[in-house]
Amino acid sequence: MTIVHQQARGSAYTHLTRWGRALVLSLALVTAAGSTAAADPVSERRGGTPDFGPNVTIFDPSMPVEQIQATLDATHAKQVDNEMGTTRYAYLFKPGTYGTADKPLQIKVGYYTEVSGLGASPADVVINGKIEVYNRCLNNAGPNCIALVNFWRTLSNLSLDINAKGQDGCRASANFWAVSQAVSLRRLNIAGGGLSLMDYCTDGPQYASGGFIADSKLPATTNGSQQQWLTRNSEVAGWSNGVWNQVFSGVVGAPDDAAFPTPPYTTLENTPVSREKPYLFVDAKGKYNVRVPSAQKNTRGVTWANGMTPGRTIPISDFYVAKPGDSVHTINAHLALGKHLLLTPGLYDIARSINVVWPNTVVLGLGHATLTAVRGATPLEVADVPGVVVAGVTIDAGLQESPVLLRVGKRHGWGWSSQTNPTTLSDVYFRIGGPHVGKTDTALEVNSDNVLIDHTWVWRADHGVEGFTDTQRWNTNTGRKGAVINGDNVTATGLFVEHFQQYNTTWNGENGTTILYQNELPYDPPTQADWMNGNVEGYAGYKVGDKVRNHTLYGGGVYVFNQNNPQIHTENGFEVPRTPGVKLNHIMTVNLSAGIIDHVVNDVGDAADMTKVGQPVYIKQYP
């Protein structure tokens, strides 16, 4: 690490199986004997600065702006084109003010980079300047500057006073945040200028395919060429534009959706279930802690308007601070003893599951910490217990097929859950292929009841550097099912699932709710025979199980781009039981220039075919 200048677990033993109790006790005994891990550093026990490793940089407001700028510029230069790279970074700002009116701090954020404040409130860290993402210019013949692959970056927990001093006329017109999937904006207070979610200065606006904002106060915002976007529990001074699917949930100042689909807005007055992502902060005594927000029901606006976000504070000494190279045996021993887990930036090879067994455990990743499956392992297993929070973690499939990459609860498990304290996944991302060959049967499997999925991108890669062509990818990067939801009372706010070889999302649990769903069907089926669901042509992008009687979706889109064989058909974008309790609100399909979706849902709706390229087919409500 570069430094510049429990809640009680409850009576968990009564709910653990005999095998589980034995495991916990044996691991505890091994650790107590000193066989699995060294003791926590003295500075960490006393609340001082933990050792977060070499890829976390902590800034202090006493540092010259020029030095901070140089540090961030150097990382951006390395990361701006490092889409499939292995380096991960987190830049954390201690409470204070950075930059001035005459010397603003101009930050550009590249791949696998987190920029976050260390205040208890977003107001505690103020940056005068800009924090931006521009279109990425690819090294192809001719101009090819796009935002469609601007993935994997995080901005959170600070105030930004927009200052464009020193930028040219076009760049001075707004703070640009031109991103796509696996990017989150959280706990921000932005003022002093406009926010644009597209970059119209680099080779035109181009399309972008994001994105997600939560718990933030925003100025007038231009959505521009973003194909889909979810803004949740925030305040906006204004919102303009939108391409296909823009959703607002619990947002003060959100636009009205009465004219849907022109513009394509979907607006919910309140968010039915929410929990903000945990965040690292430094208290008044200089000690490091993690704030874990409480779950909320039927809320709107930011959580920090009237003081500290409701929740609990966990001292950093209650976390095992892991680094790449740490053994899973060591990590599991600390988890079994009741520690929380903080994953510092980097790649972790996981040949056996990390097991989260206690309720209310927090697993927090910094700088897009990445767990990679080895030898067909399931990298992360969460027990059927309430209140677990997993946040800021990316999970990659490995060379040998894994049955699943993240499993929450066992099928027909203990059934111990809580409506008021849901297990929560925040900014948890999945990848099958891209930097290397990846194989899994299922990416995300949720078996527990009362789970909240708050922003995830579940991606079977449509491009990468694995060393084979697009036509070979179908039989090499294999991922059959994206998200499988078997638990009851599961809520998803921001569910992005793409390119799987069977159903991208299968929802079998009762009383499920999804607020914004985005899907691209797989690009790469070689033939129609490869894309058949029995006698049905293709798999719907969103499938609600035949036995489900109550389910609600707000704002859903399924896109088709069968580039390997443009003649391929998919019968329906959405497939749901025909029953009054299953309701789809504001759904659409769209053709991206190859392939055909014959109907929007259950043989209803016109075809998204080659006569309607880029023109969505909307259904306001089904049934």
Side-chain angles (χ1 to χ4, degrees):
M1 178 185 63
T2 303
I3 302 178
V4 183
H5 186 353
Q6 298 183 319
Q7 175 177 338
R9 293 285 186 261
S11 54
Y13 274 111
T14 62
H15 295 270
L16 291 173
T17 63
R18 181 177 302 170
W19 177 89
R21 293 178 213 165
L23 172 65
V24 170
L25 289 172
S26 63
L27 286 172
L29 290 171
V30 171
T31 302
S35 301
T36 61
D40 294 324
V42 171
S43 63
E44 184 179 315
R45 293 200 307 270
R46 293 176 179 172
T49 302
D51 180 6
F52 290 128
N55 292 326
V56 174
T57 299
I58 299 175
F59 294 122
D60 186 281
S62 65
M63 182 178 181
V65 172
E66 295 85 355
Q67 189 177 349
I68 299 175
Q69 188 72 63
T71 300
L72 293 167
D73 285 349
T75 296
H76 179 259
K78 290 187 292 186
Q79 297 300 103
V80 65
D81 291 317
N82 199 23
E83 180 182 358
M84 299 298 170
T86 59
T87 49
R88 308 285 189 269
Y89 296 95
Y91 291 96
L92 310 178
F93 289 79
K94 285 186 174 181
T97 299
Y98 298 81
T100 65
D102 291 330
K103 291 184 178 180
L105 187 58
Q106 308 284 5
I107 301 172
K108 293 189 285 294
V109 183
Y111 284 101
Y112 310 111
T113 302
E114 175 179 354
V115 177
S116 295
L118 287 173
S121 164
D124 294 341
V125 175
V126 178
I127 293 180
N128 290 304
K130 284 188 171 185
I131 305 176
E132 297 189 296
V133 179
Y134 300 151
N135 289 342
R136 178 183 170 206
C137 295
L138 305 177
N139 295 321
N140 298 41
N144 188 19
C145 298
I146 61 174
L148 284 172
V149 293
N150 282 350
F151 309 139
W152 302 304
R153 50 205 91 190
T154 299
L155 176 60
S156 67
N157 199 32
L158 55 82
S159 293
L160 177 62
D161 190 353
I162 296 173
N163 182 339
K165 186 179 177 68
Q167 293 188 315
D168 65 27
C170 185
R171 285 281 175 234
S173 60
N175 189 95
F176 295 99
W177 191 256
V179 297
S180 287
Q181 286 91 347
V183 178
S184 68
L185 297 170
R186 292 179 182 266
R187 291 179 58 82
L188 300 177
N189 183 20
I190 302 178
L195 175 66
S196 177
L197 303 178
M198 67 173 177
D199 171 12
Y200 45 77
C201 296
T202 307
D203 191 31
Q206 305 301 338
Y207 281 116
S209 188
F212 181 84
I213 294 170
D215 205 21
S216 297
K217 288 186 178 180
L218 305 177
T221 300
T222 300
N223 179 274
S225 56
Q226 286 287 352
Q227 294 167 344
Q228 67 280 317
W229 197 278
L230 173 61
T231 305
R232 179 184 63 68
N233 288 80
S234 295
E235 297 181 16
V236 296
W239 194 278
S240 62
N241 304 113
V243 178
W244 296 329
N245 187 17
Q246 318 295 317
V247 181
F248 306 84
S249 181
V251 177
V252 177
D256 187 88
D257 67 355
F260 179 87
T262 309
Y265 296 153
T266 301
T267 301
L268 286 73
E269 184 75 8
N270 298 305
T271 303
V273 180
S274 62
R275 188 205 291 268
E276 302 307 330
K277 182 180 177 181
Y279 56 95
L280 189 68
F281 76 98
V282 178
D283 64 21
K285 296 181 179 179
K287 295 182 178 180
Y288 284 76
N289 306 274
V290 172
R291 186 70 172 175
V292 184
S294 302
Q296 308 286 329
K297 288 191 176 242
N298 299 315
T299 55
R300 69 195 305 256
V302 300
T303 62
W304 42 271
N306 299 312
M308 199 167 189
T309 294
R312 59 191 170 114
T313 294
I314 305 174
I316 198 67
S317 57
D318 285 355
F319 281 80
Y320 177 68
V321 179
K323 300 179 184 66
D326 286 0
S327 73
V328 173
H329 186 68
T330 297
I331 291 171
N332 280 340
H334 283 278
L335 288 169
L337 285 169
K339 286 275 191 177
H340 304 278
L341 176 62
L342 190 144
L343 297 165
T344 60
L347 306 184
Y348 297 75
D349 288 338
I350 307 297
R352 54 180 291 193
S353 299
I354 295 174
N355 291 306
V356 180
V357 296
W358 293 104
N360 301 311
T361 300
V362 176
V363 178
L364 177 61
L366 297 181
H368 294 259
T370 302
L371 309 178
T372 301
V374 176
R375 296 197 295 272
T378 295
L380 188 57
E381 291 260 13
V382 177
D384 209 0
V385 296
V388 172
V389 178
V390 180
V393 178
T394 297
I395 306 177
D396 276 2
L399 302 180
Q400 294 175 246
E401 182 174 292
S402 297
V404 63
L405 298 180
L406 169 56
R407 181 184 287 116
V408 180
K410 300 289 187 184
R411 291 300 302 269
H412 314 297
W414 305 327
W416 184 22
S417 67
S418 169
Q419 291 189 2
T420 59
N421 186 24
T423 283
T424 304
L425 311 179
S426 296
D427 295 349
V428 176
Y429 310 132
F430 300 81
R431 183 169 57 183
I432 295 88
H436 50 74
V437 172
K439 297 177 183 291
T440 191
D441 179 70
T442 301
L444 170 63
E445 181 179 298
V446 176
N447 298 310
S448 295
D449 298 337
N450 299 300
V451 172
L452 173 61
I453 304 168
D454 186 48
H455 188 221
T456 188
W457 186 36
V458 188
W459 188 52
R460 176 178 167 264
D462 58 86
H463 65 279
V465 292
E466 313 95 328
F468 47 85
T469 67
D470 290 340
T471 55
Q472 296 171 320
R473 185 165 280 111
W474 183 257
N475 294 313
T476 310
N477 276 344
T478 54
R480 297 176 189 85
K481 298 177 285 292
V484 178
I485 313 299
N486 297 316
D488 295 339
N489 304 310
V490 175
T491 299
T493 49
L495 180 58
F496 300 75
V497 187
E498 296 189 309
H499 310 307
F500 285 83
Q501 295 170 300
Q502 295 180 7
Y503 286 121
N504 278 262
T505 295
T506 305
W507 206 296
N508 295 318
E510 284 290 350
N511 302 311
T513 301
T514 298
I515 299 172
L516 191 135
Y517 179 71
Q518 184 265 339
N519 166 248
E520 284 184 351
L521 297 172
Y523 291 179
D524 54 341
T527 69
Q528 186 71 63
D530 295 294
W531 185 237
M532 292 294 293
N533 181 12
N535 294 323
V536 176
E537 291 183 323
Y539 292 82
Y542 191 89
K543 164 71 173 178
V544 178
D546 295 339
K547 296 181 180 180
V548 172
R549 291 296 171 259
N550 292 282
H551 183 89
T552 307
L553 166 64
Y554 299 95
V558 175
Y559 315 157
V560 62
F561 179 55
N562 293 129
Q563 66 175 354
N564 281 357
N565 186 342
Q567 304 306 312
I568 286 177
H569 285 250
T570 301
E571 187 166 316
N572 289 291
F574 300 81
E575 183 180 312
V576 302
R578 292 174 171 86
T579 182
V582 176
K583 299 177 181 179
L584 310 183
N585 303 278
H586 294 191
I587 60 173
M588 48 81 70
T589 56
V590 67
N591 187 303
L592 303 180
S593 75
I596 300 142
I597 302 177
D598 294 317
H599 304 283
V600 179
V601 54
N602 290 4
D603 299 330
V604 175
D606 293 338
D609 58 23
M610 295 300 291
T611 70
K612 304 185 188 72
V613 172
Q615 301 174 29
V617 181
Y618 286 105
I619 289 182
K620 190 169 184 178
Q621 188 173 58
Y622 180 89

